[in-house]
Amino acid sequence: SQTIHQWPATLVQPVGSPLSLECTVEGTSNPNLYWYRQAAGRGLQLLFYSIGIDQISSEVPQNLSASRPQDRQFILSSKKLLLSDSGFYLCAWSRDRLGSGNTIYFGEGSWLTVV
Amino acid sequence: SQQGEEDPQALSIQEGENATMNCSYKTSINNLQWYRQNSGRGLVHLILIRSNEREKHSGRLRVTLDTSKKSSSLLITASRAADTASYFCATDLEGRRALTFGSGTRLQVQP
């Protein structure tokens, strides 16, 4: 069966510090990978998605970046965090193209508080 | 603005009652999905309805889709306290490679 791991679960970072959130998927190959952000009590905002290694699309211009160094690894980074980067970050994966009726599977999320 | 907008934003009911949540969207879709999120956790897929389907059932869940009105509804019958969570609709837009989520409905089921 497929599993998705995301870490760290929580972190508190000062403004201006770097960020690295990691996500790995097991039990499948060539997944589509996603990073979403959720502000408190709000919906999900798509940040990045990737259909393959080094194939990453950015949805929102900001000080975050994503990388996919391996097929099943997705990393969200920032060189300098802003207060507005606080939120709940969710990594997710899906099989192949969503248009064929595939669903998205989410990790447990990472709570980021920028102070 | 969000592609999917849920209504109501919050809903409080008693155990045993039915809960209905609505979702409206703006552009053509391939399919529409509903997800559930327990507080502070990741989202879990509940049900998917394709654009050529009008109604779908899964256990106590019933989903309808009206593409002419660009709307969907999720009905949870005989609700339980364990159904307390946020529910999100997500649309798979034609030509897009990721799901677009609405703002969610927070459901509170009182025991």
Side-chain angles (χ1 to χ4, degrees), chain B residues 69-90:
Chain B
K69 295 181 179 179
K70 292 186 170 59
S71 66
S72 174
S73 67
L74 171 67
L75 169 67
I76 303 175
T77 60
S79 63
R80 306 166 182 168
D83 295 328
T84 295
S86 291
Y87 293 82
F88 295 87
C89 69

Side-chain angles (χ1 to χ4, degrees), chain B residues 49-67:
Chain B
I49 187 165
R50 298 180 188 277
S51 59
N52 60 355
E53 297 176 313
R54 292 297 169 259
E55 187 170 312
K56 203 162 185 180
H57 297 257
S58 177
R60 294 185 294 112
L61 305 180
R62 172 177 170 257
V63 170
T64 62
L65 179 65
D66 187 334
T67 53

Side-chain angles (χ1 to χ4, degrees), chain A residues 15 37 62-63 81-87 89 112 114:
Chain A
V15 169
R37 178 169 63 195
Q62 55 202 336
N63 67 321
L81 285 169
L82 307 172
L83 287 174
S84 58
D85 291 324
S86 294
Y89 289 80
L112 170 65
V114 182

Side-chain angles (χ1 to χ4, degrees), chain A residues 17 24 36 42 80 83-84 92 105-106:
Chain A
S17 64
T24 59
Y36 285 88
R42 303 292 298 278
K80 290 185 177 182
L83 287 174
S84 58
Y105 302 90
F106 284 86

